[in-house]
Amino acid sequence: MGRTIEVTINGLLYRHDVEPRLLLVHYLRDVIGLTGTHIGCETSLCGACTVLFNGAAVKSCTLFAVQADGAEITTIEGLAENGQLHPIQEGFWMKHGLQCGYCTPGMILAAHQLLSRSPDPSEEEIRRGIEGNLCRCTGYQHIIEAIRYAAEKIRVTREGGARSK
Amino acid sequence: MIPTAFEYFRPANLSEALALLEQYKDEAKLLAGGHSLIPLMKLRLAQPQYVIDLGGVKELSYIRESGEHLLIGAMTRHVDVETSEMLRQRCPLLAETAHRIGDVQVRNMGTIGGSLAHADPAADYPAAILALGAELRAVSTKGERWIRAEDFFVDMLTTALQPGEILVEVKVPALGPRTGTAYVKVAQKASGFALCGVAVVLAVDPNGVCQDVAVGITGIAPKAYRARAVEEALRGRALDASVIANASAKATEGIDPLEDLHASAEYRAHLARVWCRRAIEQARESV
Amino acid sequence: MGKKFVGEPIPRVEDHRLITGRSQYVDDIVRPRMVYAAILRSIYAHARLKAVNVEKARQAPGVIAVFTGADVREAIGPVPVASRLPDLKIPKHPVLALEKVHYVGEPIAVVVAGDRYLARDAVDMIEVEYEPLEAVVDPERAIAEGAPIVHEEFGTNVAFVWRLSGGDIERAFREADVVVSQRMVNQRLIPVAMEPRGVVAEYLPGEGQLTVWTSTQIPHLLRTQLATMLGLAENRLRVIAPEVGGGFGSKLNVYAEEALVGYLAMRLGRPVKWIETRRENFLSTTHGRGQIAEVEAAVKRDGTVLGLRYKIIQDLGAYHQLLTPAIPTLTGLMATGPYKIPNLHVQIVGAFTNKMATDAYRGAGRPEATYWLERMMDRIAGELGLDPVQVRMRNFPQPEEFPFPTASGLAYDSGNYHQALRRAMELVGYEKLRQEQQQLRQQGRYLGIGISTYVEICALGPSPALPAGGWESATVRVEPTGKVTVLTGASPHGQGQETAFAQIVADELGVELADVRVIHGDTAIVQYGIGTFGSRATAVGGTAVYGALQKVKEKATHLAAHLLGEENVANVAFEDGHFFLKDNPERRMTFHEVALAAYLAKNLPPGVEPGLEATYFFEPSNFTFPFGAHIAVVEVDPETGDVQFRRYVAVDDCGRVLNPLLVDGQVHGGIVQSLGQALLEEAVYDESGQLVTGELTEYAIPKATDVPWLETDRTETPSPVNPLGIKGVGEAGTIAATPAIVNAVLDALAPFGVQHLDMPLRPEKIWRAIRGA
């Protein structure tokens, strides 16, 4: 009962036969070997498994791999480019936005979604933007600072880029 | 965490989907956004033999105008309802309600049709759908019919959809003149579902007299309901604080509120009354 | 010597792997030919097992083996308890249930299959015939006459009665002007580390070695215990704590699954993986708190507290896990808090119930003590018509009274409690807030200001006080190229010691942070250690690193003197990575040169061994006692009972700070877990012993939207217990914040005459209290 899917993950095209019930998160972790996407619950609440699915943040434990046929997925492993940390990753590092690190990949991708829709979010918007991601270590405050840091860095980079043109 | 095995279909259009549903009937489940179905399957509380994924039925994803109505395809995701400029302008209640659903990841995947067809008693949309007097279009291999919102919700997790029918479209009226709306919600802290959600559509004349009103309430009862007694106590009256308060006191008239770990029946009823009042006040402000 | 790193907000060196998704948690580990285990757990809280039929499961697709309790009872020893209280009743605790099950979630059988999906499918095919028995869920009922007995062999559910006395409690109550008493509940909580537990085990028959990767806070202690359970020589067992996704005490344990998966790997000759689901995590990873207390305070009219009497019932659950009975004794030790209260009597009754075991959860016994006492201080203030600040200030010891002896037999190392509270009041604008509160009450708005002043017992601790030693170890190994490897016996899992320890090394040896690598969590690499819990990793483990560094420096200095041709070692100084002669600074060598010379060994002083490394086991002379003052400001909606935060101010004193970023992170996280207990969280079992809050959809841990902005500040009173002056900070927030928040809510409710409400303070409870007033 396998079904063939083609999925682009972090820019690479994969083709696999998968069982329909295989969850996308298990496909990413166990089949592709991208273990940066974590599993923290089975009720779509914790957000540890968040990935970008055609650009939108989704909980990869709440999709079947077969639903990803033809999709483009970005996982935490695909966020840094040419060894350069993404500004959100840098923000989490500089502002100590993580402790045990388990929620971090999902949190970073939720932040990515937030900043793509709202480049200069208020504290309230940030809190709402990550309410689908649970963290038991940080109390969220350094995460908020990390996202602000990233927003600022993205803004400065963009304006710098605009000026240089 | 791991669902039982099933056979998977991904029809490319509605007629294929209807044919599959006709073939497998009760043993099949429709997969829309998956945010109700997949968690149930992972806990093995749902174990369908066949899953028909509507993700490929692109024709069901749209928001468009049709005269004084707006039509929303059943596979339209919450995020698209939430951010639709057309809805923000012409039916802000629906956009505001979508904005209050779950979290961003849920809104990115969940669909209006999937949510309504699941009929969770604590879902957000039903309150708005009722207050808007929406109509829902169901299609089967035998034809199609329109179902009034109030007839659609039958009981907890039960709708008026018949076996073989797929909910394909939601029709809501555009905002009329001198009309205000509001959706307010008290979330259950763990799940984010509504302990109490109240949607109000309120039309007032220049003298502040209520010309028409509709109140939909979710989270309180086994199914979302229209608070008719509240509406009657408001219609034709000047909306001062005491009229609103007295009307809101009827928010659970004839209703047997749910009781669970998160709120007793008594407190749920109290929340319904308080938030009904606050929602009406907010809707009045927004006229 | 130029210090560059200690005390600075250095971003963590461990972060890169975590923010790029390249760290390795247990479930990320894949071994060749690995198979998957899934566990069938009891659906009853109390039942006899009449039959466990596994035949269908054995025939299921992909299944390799199925084992029941009867299959493994000879091969695997019982789950251990390390605490030894007088007359403690210790039930047999098999890894898979035998005749009876005692709580929902107790393991009954294990399936091993080729993949995790098939293993899960086969669990559903095991048929269990239960004979349900009446369950006992409420600990008070459990110790009353006629209750169902959890372990029939004892004829009682009382596992122990523990008492602690100091001073003359009877006299205190005779001399009191007022006696204030209150019954309170500190509800059972579920730790919910974001990474559930997991185990991978692999057996190499040629070497006779079993390797166990497990999500644990205590790899070495676990190795010793697992060796006993499995009948293996301890030096043939390797335990690895890979990246661990949070613990909070719930991974400070020895679990049935850790031994079971190890056994399966040996028995089947294949690597085996078991990963806990969140539902299993709720049911069968240790819970925390779960105390009921009746507290009486003997008080003078001016607010002086003469004595305290506690009668506490600890809900133990069905079995003892590693430290289950020991946790409430910490409550007893801290029962006089940061106050001069000379007379104390504590009685703690441990009650078996048909529930998962309680054990350490962030704070472990001290949050309970602080909660009891800080609620009492507010109750006393209320009874006497005094400001809560006044009552606290009156009972604090003066800074010059340290080391301060307590009625519970401890000696607080250092402190200035007045200063911390004054600082918090200044930050929050206490006097102005009190005025605003009065004005708002006139308008029917209910502002509440809640204070918590606390002291906690940290850096656990002197070995005589701990079941398995309270020291910590470190090896500092200078490699020939001058790179420095640190092996620590602590087992950090988010606290940031890879950075904090590297900061110590970099400053002491004058190397860069990037030159230092801190390795932990692998018993085959690291010398024996105790682990990470009880806010000890930096205070005890960091001191061990510091001690090892002194030994390394001493040897290197000796060698440098020799190489520089200086006979008087005292004339050799070491600064900024260079050795030089004090009277002739031009004669110098780099640290790297000395390190290389130590390994090339061409020219060593007589009697000096080649190589440059040292191991140090640090045994602390005392605990440390961090302290502080937290103030919460809330507004209660009298119509709905909803609580909104206005401010949250925390002033903590954790002794010397190595890295303020890490300290803030610990404080924030602790406060928010505390907020969870105060307002949201409660493990609810129904009367039949089913866990009603068994998923994240029912058990609310704080989300970003539930949390206010936290304003943190510090005072810094070094501890004399270790040379770095560190006290520890891992649990401070969790200990301090719960009573601050509860006191704030009850302060808001004061106009309604509400004196006390038990947590969690959910809106309905508050609404009922207001309505009942």
Side-chain angles (χ1 to χ4, degrees):
Chain A
M1 280 202 308
R3 194 177 169 95
T4 304
I5 58 169
E6 285 191 353
V7 193
T8 304
I9 304 168
N10 302 332
L12 294 176
L13 181 68
Y14 295 86
R15 189 187 165 91
H16 284 101
D17 285 334
V18 296
E19 198 189 357
R21 65 167 165 164
L22 181 68
L23 296 167
L24 178 59
V25 69
H26 284 143
Y27 175 70
L28 294 171
R29 291 177 49 82
D30 295 349
V31 180
I32 308 296
L34 292 170
T35 55
T37 304
H38 299 147
I39 302 172
C41 73
E42 52 259 347
T43 49
S44 317
L45 272 164
C46 81
C49 65
T50 299
V51 300
L52 300 180
F53 185 88
N54 296 328
V58 302
K59 294 180 178 176
S60 63
C61 75
T62 313
L63 269 87
F64 296 114
V66 288
Q67 291 176 271
D69 189 18
E72 282 196 26
I73 291 172
T74 304
T75 70
I76 189 66
E77 290 93 339
L79 207 56
E81 282 180 27
N82 308 318
Q84 187 83 28
L85 291 180
H86 187 280
I88 302 173
Q89 290 172 310
E90 188 182 308
F92 272 70
W93 181 36
M94 298 311 289
K95 294 295 177 183
H96 187 31
L98 61 147
Q99 291 179 28
C100 83
Y102 200 75
C103 75
T104 309
M107 197 66 87
I108 287 175
L109 291 168
H112 190 280
Q113 169 81 92
L114 172 70
L115 294 181
S116 71
R117 287 180 185 163
S118 177
D120 185 21
S122 65
E123 181 193 335
E124 189 53 36
E125 283 175 290
I126 295 175
R127 288 189 189 277
R128 282 224 63 193
I130 58 171
E131 74 181 325
N133 295 73
L134 298 176
C135 170
R136 196 63 154 162
C137 293
T138 63
Y140 302 104
Q141 190 146 318
H142 281 163
I143 293 176
I144 293 166
E145 291 184 359
I147 295 171
R148 279 181 176 158
Y149 174 102
E152 176 66 12
K153 171 123 190 187
I154 293 167
R155 190 182 64 76
V156 168
T157 309
R158 190 174 294 139
E159 284 173 5
R163 263 199 302 278
S164 70
K165 283 174 199 163
Chain B
M1 182 69 200
I2 293 167
T4 50
F6 56 83
E7 201 172 330
Y8 174 81
F9 302 99
R10 190 177 169 89
N13 55 53
L14 184 58
S15 52
E16 271 182 48
L18 289 168
L20 286 163
L21 191 57
E22 180 66 24
Q23 185 178 350
Y24 296 112
K25 296 197 173 64
D26 284 359
E27 290 180 336
K29 279 278 184 194
L30 294 174
L31 177 64
H35 278 56
S36 302
L37 179 62
I38 296 176
L40 289 176
M41 290 175 69
K42 288 198 296 181
L43 295 171
R44 300 199 166 200
L45 297 172
Q47 304 192 355
Q49 295 280 307
Y50 306 94
V51 169
I52 303 167
D53 180 4
L54 298 178
V57 184
K58 302 295 177 205
E59 66 203 82
L60 294 184
S61 181
Y62 56 84
I63 300 168
R64 59 175 171 250
E65 287 173 294
S66 168
E68 285 312 297
H69 285 88
L70 299 152
L71 304 174
I72 301 118
M75 285 297 289
T76 306
R77 302 198 187 280
H78 304 329
V79 64
D80 294 324
V81 174
E82 175 187 6
T83 56
S84 157
E85 208 37 55
M86 188 193 299
L87 288 174
R88 290 249 158 227
Q89 295 291 328
R90 304 202 63 198
C91 187
L93 176 61
L94 204 62
E96 181 53 28
T97 305
H99 178 63
R100 300 299 307 275
I101 297 172
D103 52 53
V104 64
Q105 292 97 320
V106 170
R107 295 195 294 277
N108 280 341
M109 277 308 292
T111 63
I112 189 167
S115 172
L116 292 172
H118 184 61
D120 191 301
D124 295 286
Y125 270 139
I129 291 296
L130 286 165
L132 288 165
E135 289 182 72
L136 300 106
R137 186 157 65 94
V139 177
S140 70
T141 51
K142 297 175 188 69
E144 69 165 55
R145 63 182 177 128
W146 285 94
I147 308 170
R148 295 190 319 143
E150 235 175 319
D151 301 328
F152 184 78
F153 302 106
V154 173
D155 203 347
M156 190 175 286
L157 306 178
T158 310
T159 68
L161 289 173
Q162 294 298 310
E165 275 187 328
I166 297 178
L167 172 62
V168 295
E169 187 175 72
V170 179
K171 181 165 85 174
V172 294
L175 197 65
R178 294 207 55 80
T179 301
T181 61
Y183 180 65
V184 297
K185 170 184 182 178
V186 180
Q188 194 261 66
K189 285 287 190 184
S191 69
F193 274 88
L195 270 187
C196 168
V198 184
V200 173
V201 178
L202 177 67
V204 285
D205 72 11
N207 301 319
V209 173
C210 171
Q211 292 192 303
D212 200 6
V213 62
V215 178
I217 299 183
T218 190
I220 301 296
K223 59 170 185 169
Y225 64 95
R226 275 284 286 270
R228 295 282 185 194
V230 177
E231 297 170 5
E232 275 160 35
L234 293 172
R235 220 170 268 128
R237 290 201 169 79
L239 294 180
D240 62 31
S242 71
V243 166
I244 294 175
N246 290 337
S248 301
K250 303 172 192 290
T252 55
E253 213 172 271
I255 296 296
D256 197 7
L258 294 171
E259 173 149 313
D260 61 21
L261 177 70
H262 304 284
S264 67
E266 192 185 8
Y267 185 62
R268 265 202 172 76
H270 174 73
L271 283 179
R273 292 189 288 267
V274 170
W275 287 99
C276 184
R277 193 193 76 224
R278 293 178 181 183
I280 293 165
E281 284 165 354
Q282 195 178 315
R284 187 185 55 178
E285 298 301 312
S286 77
V287 171
Chain C
M1 179 182 297
K3 301 276 184 192
K4 293 191 294 188
F5 297 106
V6 167
E8 295 301 312
I10 308 285
R12 295 199 314 178
V13 300
E14 49 268 73
D15 281 0
H16 195 273
R17 64 178 189 262
L18 297 163
I19 57 181
T20 55
R22 288 175 171 85
S23 56
Q24 236 189 7
Y25 299 87
V26 173
D27 197 14
D28 304 339
I29 291 164
V30 177
R31 306 299 300 172
R33 301 176 63 245
M34 188 170 79
V35 292
Y36 294 82
I39 293 172
L40 173 80
R41 296 177 184 277
S42 175
I43 58 169
Y44 285 100
H46 197 191
R48 267 179 235 296
L49 287 179
K50 308 280 280 184
V52 181
N53 186 347
V54 301
E55 280 318 306
K56 275 188 201 153
R58 284 206 173 110
Q59 306 303 322
V63 169
I64 292 159
V66 184
F67 296 96
T68 65
D71 299 329
V72 302
R73 66 187 305 173
E74 298 299 328
I76 310 177
V79 180
V81 51
S83 353
R84 290 283 178 269
L85 301 183
D87 302 321
L88 176 68
K89 295 188 177 60
I90 301 178
K92 290 190 203 77
H93 188 175
V95 296
L96 293 174
L98 294 167
E99 295 85 16
K100 258 177 75 172
V101 286
H102 303 82
Y103 66 98
V104 172
E106 183 167 357
I108 293 175
V110 61
V111 172
V112 183
D115 78 42
R116 53 176 112 220
Y117 282 58
L118 296 175
R120 173 65 189 83
D121 288 347
V123 166
D124 283 353
M125 298 181 196
I126 300 172
E127 296 158 335
V128 182
E129 203 182 314
Y130 297 94
E131 180 193 324
L133 303 168
E134 193 188 347
V136 61
V137 173
D138 174 3
E140 283 181 309
R141 169 149 193 256
I143 58 172
E145 284 292 311
I149 300 294
V150 179
H151 300 284
E152 284 135 1
E153 63 271 32
F154 301 135
T156 172
N157 292 320
V158 175
F160 64 85
V161 180
W162 183 87
R163 293 186 182 87
L164 177 69
S165 294
D168 183 345
I169 194 68
E170 301 304 330
R171 192 173 144 197
F173 277 86
R174 277 199 307 275
E175 292 177 358
D177 296 331
V178 181
V179 172
V180 179
S181 54
Q182 185 65 54
R183 178 187 191 275
M184 294 177 271
V185 177
N186 203 293
Q187 79 274 30
R188 187 183 260 257
L189 300 177
I190 301 178
V192 196
M194 290 319 301
E195 181 209 25
R197 291 187 294 122
V199 186
V200 172
E202 181 174 43
Y203 186 63
L204 301 175
E207 281 117 78
Q209 175 175 297
L210 178 68
T211 302
V212 177
W213 291 262
T214 180
S215 188
T216 186
Q217 302 172 227
I218 47 163
H220 282 97
L221 301 183
L222 178 64
R223 185 189 67 178
T224 304
Q225 296 290 343
L226 281 185
T228 307
M229 292 173 80
L230 295 171
L232 272 177
E234 190 172 2
N235 55 7
R236 306 251 169 216
L237 181 56
R238 176 183 186 184
V239 172
I240 301 174
E243 207 75 68
V244 172
F248 314 110
S250 72
K251 295 172 182 172
L252 160 55
N253 228 304
V254 177
Y255 283 100
E257 295 89 349
E258 291 172 317
L260 187 60
V261 174
Y263 167 80
L264 293 171
M266 291 192 288
R267 173 81 187 259
L268 301 173
R270 293 181 73 168
V272 178
K273 177 184 278 188
W274 168 76
I275 299 297
E276 188 182 56
T277 65
R278 180 57 66 193
R279 190 166 190 82
E280 286 178 295
N281 179 263
F282 271 95
L283 289 172
S284 50
T285 290
T286 54
H287 294 176
R289 318 277 189 264
Q291 287 188 8
I292 301 168
E294 284 176 26
V295 191
E296 286 180 296
V299 190
K300 295 301 251 185
R301 287 216 182 280
D302 67 358
T304 305
V305 182
L306 301 176
L308 291 165
R309 198 185 271 142
Y310 292 83
K311 283 171 78 177
I312 296 173
I313 299 170
Q314 172 70 47
D315 177 1
L316 300 169
Y319 292 107
H320 301 309
Q321 282 282 343
L322 193 64
L323 300 169
T324 301
I327 302 303
T329 65
L330 285 169
T331 309
L333 286 176
M334 296 310 294
T336 55
Y339 308 111
K340 273 176 89 160
I341 301 175
N343 306 297
L344 174 71
H345 182 78
V346 181
Q347 175 190 288
I348 301 174
V349 176
F352 288 122
T353 53
N354 290 113
K355 297 189 279 191
M356 181 59 202
T358 53
D359 203 318
Y361 171 52
R362 200 172 190 176
R366 292 102 89 205
E368 294 90 319
T370 304
Y371 180 75
W372 304 141
L373 189 49
E374 288 307 290
R375 282 296 303 125
M376 287 307 289
M377 295 314 268
D378 269 30
R379 287 279 289 107
I380 291 164
E383 295 277 341
L384 300 177
L386 300 171
D387 188 291
V389 168
Q390 225 179 328
V391 178
R392 287 172 172 83
M393 289 286 194
R394 182 168 300 284
N395 288 286
F396 285 152
Q398 297 300 322
E400 58 275 12
E401 290 181 73
F402 289 86
F404 175 75
T406 71
S408 61
L410 298 171
Y412 292 169
D413 56 345
S414 60
N416 187 337
Y417 303 160
H418 301 79
Q419 187 188 20
L421 178 52
R422 275 196 295 265
R423 180 76 190 124
M425 291 169 66
E426 202 177 288
L427 282 172
V428 84
Y430 186 75
E431 301 301 332
K432 244 184 107 183
L433 270 174
R434 283 285 175 212
Q435 288 164 15
E436 190 189 348
Q437 180 181 43
Q438 285 309 320
Q439 288 156 7
L440 287 174
R441 278 180 189 169
Q442 308 301 323
Q443 304 164 26
R445 288 177 59 187
Y446 298 91
L447 193 72
I449 306 158
I451 297 167
S452 165
T453 48
Y454 73 96
V455 58
E456 58 158 329
I457 182 168
C458 272
L460 309 183
S463 291
L466 268 84
W471 44 269
E472 196 48 271
S473 69
T475 296
V476 172
R477 177 179 297 156
V478 183
E479 313 289 358
T481 53
K483 303 288 179 194
V484 184
T485 304
V486 176
L487 311 177
T488 171
S491 196
H493 42 282
Q495 297 87 347
Q497 272 87 19
E498 289 179 41
T499 303
F501 290 179
Q503 288 176 260
I504 299 173
V505 172
D507 276 359
E508 288 295 314
L509 299 184
V511 297
E512 292 302 319
L513 280 183
D515 292 330
V516 185
R517 177 154 188 226
V518 177
I519 295 176
H520 55 81
D522 185 341
T523 65
I525 297 176
V526 178
Q527 71 290 336
Y528 206 91
I530 303 298
T532 290
F533 55 88
S535 303
R536 68 190 308 278
T538 304
V540 189
T543 305
V545 172
Y546 181 82
L549 282 166
Q550 303 318 307
K551 288 166 84 171
V552 162
K553 272 169 45 178
E554 192 187 318
K555 179 172 179 180
T557 306
H558 194 58
L559 180 53
H562 179 74
L563 293 169
L564 291 168
E566 173 64 43
E567 286 186 11
N568 177 15
V569 175
N571 190 34
V572 177
F574 179 52
E575 264 178 41
D576 293 333
H578 287 80
F579 293 93
F580 57 89
L581 302 187
K582 288 176 186 166
D583 57 4
N584 184 5
E586 297 302 303
R587 304 260 338 254
R588 57 203 292 130
M589 291 181 77
T590 66
F591 178 71
H592 293 185
E593 287 167 336
V594 175
L596 185 61
Y599 284 94
L600 296 178
K602 310 285 188 203
N603 181 15
L604 299 179
V608 170
E609 298 166 29
L612 189 55
E613 74 171 69
T615 298
Y616 186 81
F617 283 63
F618 173 61
E619 171 63 46
S621 57
N622 189 3
F623 304 99
T624 63
F625 296 90
F627 60 91
H630 287 210
I631 301 181
V633 185
V634 303
E635 186 169 348
V636 172
D637 179 341
E639 203 173 14
T640 61
D642 198 36
V643 175
Q644 291 292 328
F645 279 94
R646 289 266 301 260
R647 298 278 297 280
Y648 194 96
V649 168
V651 176
D652 295 287
D653 192 321
C654 57
R656 188 158 167 226
V657 171
L658 296 188
N659 184 333
L661 265 186
L662 301 183
V663 168
D664 282 344
Q666 289 298 311
V667 170
H668 293 161
I671 291 171
V672 172
Q673 275 181 330
S674 216
L675 180 155
Q677 172 165 28
L679 301 179
L680 303 170
E681 299 179 33
E682 182 176 26
V684 179
Y685 283 85
D686 70 13
E687 279 182 15
S688 69
Q690 295 293 331
L691 181 62
V692 183
T693 54
E695 278 288 0
L696 282 169
T697 48
E698 303 297 322
Y699 187 92
I701 69 170
K703 299 176 182 177
T705 42
D706 295 319
V707 179
W709 192 257
L710 307 171
E711 304 166 56
T712 58
D713 195 14
R714 274 186 286 282
T715 59
E716 202 165 313
T717 311
S719 171
V721 174
N722 58 65
L724 294 169
I726 301 164
K727 289 197 168 191
V729 71
E731 295 155 296
T734 327
I735 288 167
T738 309
I741 297 167
V742 172
N743 282 344
V745 173
L746 285 153
D747 185 51
L749 299 181
F752 299 100
V754 180
Q755 291 184 331
H756 179 74
L757 290 173
D758 284 322
M759 302 179 289
L761 296 179
R762 292 201 187 126
E764 177 167 359
K765 196 178 279 176
I766 294 168
W767 170 73
R768 285 187 181 282
I770 292 172
R771 209 177 50 149

